[in-house]
Amino acid sequence: MESKPSVHLYLIRHGMTAYNQEKKYLGHSDIPVLQGRLEKAYHRLRDQFSARKIDKVFSSDLTRCLQTAEYLFPEKPIAVDKRLREINFGDWEGSTYEDLKEDKVYCGWLADWQKKQIPNGESWPIFRERVNVFLEHFLHDRAESN
């Protein structure tokens, strides 16, 4: 029986930002992780990953993601890819639910977020396709190297 190579893919969310703390929508805005929060929240995860063989580390190009990846994998080069960005919240970037709860377009999006377009942002299908293209390329490149 022939065995096929396996891939272990770990998806890690970036550390806490001011927008996260303030419950603001954060997609493509480039803001850093809050000072001291990586060490507090990710030190055990960093220890766990240091004991594993990690072949490659990918990150979004946004500062908060790079800071998190560099903290978790200090000895590894980070492959940066814009396709790994979070969904683009467009006009709602930096807003909270409280700011938007009376907006009819926002309420429509909440009711049907998988189909509705965010004004000047992304729809779920566009976001999903962007990430899927990255994953397809990653798996294709991985298969070719084995």
Side-chain angles (χ1 to χ4, degrees), residues 38-69:
L38 285 173
E39 296 80 5
K40 185 176 181 181
Y42 288 90
H43 71 277
R44 284 202 303 206
L45 188 58
R46 181 179 173 168
D47 290 345
Q48 290 172 356
F49 278 119
S50 70
R52 296 179 186 207
K53 182 182 182 303
I54 303 295
D55 294 325
K56 193 141 189 176
V57 177
F58 293 93
S59 174
S60 154
D61 62 325
L62 297 174
T63 302
R64 63 188 178 271
C65 301
L66 285 167
Q67 288 174 313
T68 304

Side-chain angles (χ1 to χ4, degrees), residues 90-107:
D91 292 350
W92 301 333
E93 279 284 318
S95 298
T96 66
Y97 169 80
E98 289 300 317
D99 296 334
L100 299 168
K101 67 183 181 184
E102 304 298 325
D103 182 317
K104 289 181 181 172
V105 175
Y106 175 72
C107 292

Side-chain angles (χ1 to χ4, degrees), residues 14 75 88 93 95 100 110:
H14 60 78
E75 305 298 321
N88 183 348
E93 279 284 318
S95 298
L100 299 168
L110 285 178

Side-chain angles (χ1 to χ4, degrees), residues 107-122:
C107 292
W109 176 77
L110 285 178
D112 195 11
W113 59 270
Q114 290 182 318
K115 294 182 182 158
K116 300 282 184 171
Q117 177 80 30
I118 297 170
N120 295 309
E122 287 179 296

Side-chain angles (χ1 to χ4, degrees), residues 6-20:
S6 63
V7 173
H8 295 267
L9 180 65
Y10 302 97
L11 302 175
I12 304 166
R13 183 155 168 78
H14 60 78
M16 176 72 72
T17 68
Y19 271 26
N20 297 139

